[in-house]
Amino acid sequence: MFLLQAGAAFAVAALLLLAAPLLLRIAAAAIAIGALAGFATSRTIGLFGFTERGLQPAPQALLSLIAETLTLLIVVAWQAFEVRRHRRTRPHHDETSRVRPDLHTMAPDR
């Protein structure tokens, strides 16, 4: 499971460097959430027969917890930035503001 997680994380990270569509940001968040869920599970009810206590082994457990939490926070902030950027660049249209040609700038027919 660790090998599968590491491979998926490296693949998504490499693809995020090339392009960052919404699907890849969701995949990055899902990998981070999965790692945090596995971390919590292994310290509570156990995972595949393994049960760990606290932040042991030190410092690897703490580093993993920090890295996955930061990854999740960065991806969420990135998505929030993209949503705000998209809203600012998208033209605002509603029912009361229809685009009408400006009669003064139109060339007369000759």
Side-chain angles (χ1 to χ4, degrees), residues 42-101:
S42 72
R43 277 147 178 77
T44 54
I45 61 173
L47 185 64
F48 302 121
F50 294 101
T51 303
E52 299 172 311
R53 300 280 177 229
L55 292 177
Q56 297 300 323
Q60 295 87 350
L62 181 60
L63 291 175
S64 174
L65 188 61
I66 291 170
E68 297 303 335
T69 303
L70 281 176
T71 299
L72 189 57
L73 291 174
I74 289 169
V75 170
V76 167
W78 186 359
Q79 182 59 31
F81 172 77
E82 289 293 325
V83 167
R84 266 189 285 149
R85 186 173 66 106
H86 179 70
R87 285 184 182 161
R88 269 189 263 145
T89 59
R90 187 180 72 202
H92 181 69
H93 294 293
D94 60 5
E95 289 298 318
T96 60
S97 63
R98 296 190 185 254
V99 177
R100 292 183 294 178

